Amino acid sequence: MTFYVAAYDTEAVYPWWEPDQPGMSYEGSRLDECLDGVRAVAEVHLRERAPASFFIVARLAEAAGPRLREILDHDLFDLQSHSFTHQNMLAIRDDPAAVRRELVDSKRLIEDLFGREVIGFTAPGGSARGFLGEPKLLEALWEAGYRYVRTLSWQPGNLAPAPLTQPFWFADDGFPELLEISAHAWHDNILTGQPSAAAWPPALPWGYPARTPSTAREVYEAYAPGIEHARDEGLLTYSPCFHPWSIHRIDRGAGQIDLLLNHARRSGLTLASCVDVYRRLAADPGLAHPAPRFANPS
């Protein structure tokens, strides 16, 4: 069985294309734009009856809790944490107060907003080795109540796109029941133009698009070959890295997501959220590796 894992890093718009608008904004038109993106993605999933994970930056939940709850409070959706302020967790690993704010305070705020337990965490930005060899962060995650994470989302050298690293337990780091469900392929904001270093020659088995995608179909075509590749290679998961604001910037109806979900379903993949995968592997731990097996040499 191969899972198409739909997961979305749910954060404010990052207007990289406007040099005078650095950083993220949780107010005004930028907030509205962010929520429009979340709504567009959610509506596609609801229409297709397809589960999804939304990893929410707590600052967004703090700024627009009722509106976010109106969009996402549905049984199809797995609602988890993407930190409180989108901090680089590796940069603050030695600051217990900062780590607590990003892990514990974000978890509590999202739990209070939605009335659900939060057990999943996506590391802002991610890295090529994620939280491997990071005992302080892993202990903080475990003690806070997290049971699965997404921390690997780049290839060696922190280059795009990410290899198809399959789920593994942090057993070698002393946390054999903490699961990594890595993000794969392109960060969609980078795929569609945000400056970042990419590896050459092409690191994905199906190569790179000939030009920067600018439509829903072009974005879909950049990710779609991974569906057959994951199925034919017998991989457990294929989980492209998406952001609602970036999806919405390309297509206000999130057409690229509709195309991918339907393609995955037609190709025989099981549509799943991250928590669906976690529960499956918690019930049968041997399906995941005890340590990572990188697709690319590190």
Side-chain angles (χ1 to χ4, degrees):
M1 176 183 294
T2 298
F3 294 100
Y4 179 90
V5 186
Y8 304 97
D9 292 355
T10 308
E11 62 205 33
V13 175
Y14 185 81
W16 57 266
W17 58 93
E18 297 177 1
D20 60 337
Q21 296 289 330
M24 298 177 175
S25 175
Y26 291 93
E27 57 187 22
S29 62
R30 289 300 187 206
L31 178 59
D32 292 340
E33 187 180 354
C34 169
L35 294 172
D36 286 345
V38 177
R39 187 181 300 278
V41 173
E43 287 179 350
V44 169
H45 277 270
L46 290 170
R47 184 171 66 246
E48 296 299 328
R49 300 294 304 168
S53 293
F54 290 86
F55 292 89
I56 301 167
V57 170
R59 180 69 186 85
L60 173 62
E62 187 178 57
R67 296 167 69 187
L68 201 59
R69 188 171 60 242
E70 177 189 358
I71 298 168
L72 292 180
D73 195 10
H74 193 284
D75 290 345
L76 269 179
F77 299 147
D78 168 34
L79 307 175
Q80 307 293 348
S81 174
H82 190 31
S83 80
F84 205 107
T85 63
H86 207 262
Q87 282 279 343
N88 181 332
M89 297 302 298
L90 295 174
I92 64 170
R93 63 163 78 84
D94 295 322
D95 184 339
V99 169
R100 180 176 180 83
R101 176 167 171 75
E102 301 302 326
L103 297 183
V104 177
D105 293 353
S106 69
K107 183 178 190 291
R108 288 177 178 171
L109 191 150
I110 296 165
E111 288 177 336
D112 289 346
L113 178 61
F114 290 99
R116 308 187 194 185
E117 185 181 19
V118 167
I119 64 167
F121 180 79
T122 287
S127 68
R129 292 192 59 82
F131 289 176
L132 288 165
E134 295 291 340
K136 290 182 180 179
L137 288 176
L138 294 173
E139 183 176 12
L141 284 160
W142 186 260
E143 291 300 318
Y146 292 102
R147 295 299 177 260
Y148 76 84
V149 295
R150 293 166 75 239
T151 68
L152 280 79
S153 58
W154 301 92
Q155 61 182 281
N158 287 342
L159 299 173
L164 307 185
T165 304
Q166 292 297 288
F168 65 87
W169 304 100
F170 284 91
D172 287 353
D173 286 302
F175 295 89
E177 296 178 283
L178 182 61
L179 181 68
E180 168 76 29
I181 306 174
S182 300
H184 298 149
W186 297 95
H187 292 229
D188 65 315
N189 50 320
I190 291 171
L191 175 68
T192 56
Q194 183 170 342
S196 180
W200 190 264
L204 293 175
W206 58 91
Y208 294 172
R211 63 186 182 89
T212 301
S214 61
T215 67
R217 178 158 291 277
E218 288 173 349
V219 171
Y220 153 75
E221 288 172 350
Y223 290 104
I227 292 172
E228 277 77 24
H229 176 82
R231 180 197 64 195
D232 295 346
E233 293 297 315
L235 302 184
L236 184 65
T237 59
Y238 178 47
S239 184
C241 184
F242 277 108
H243 304 76
W245 67 263
S246 183
I247 294 166
H248 184 259
R249 182 169 171 262
I250 294 296
D251 187 271
R252 295 194 175 189
Q256 58 271 58
I257 302 304
D258 184 59
L259 289 166
L260 284 166
L261 292 175
N262 278 284
H263 184 167
R265 185 174 272 149
R266 289 194 309 271
S267 299
L269 275 64
T270 299
L271 304 184
S273 67
C274 289
V275 81
D276 292 332
V277 174
Y278 167 73
R279 288 171 179 163
R280 179 73 178 88
L281 298 185
D284 191 354
L287 291 175
H289 302 305
R293 297 180 181 178
F294 292 111
N296 292 6
S298 58

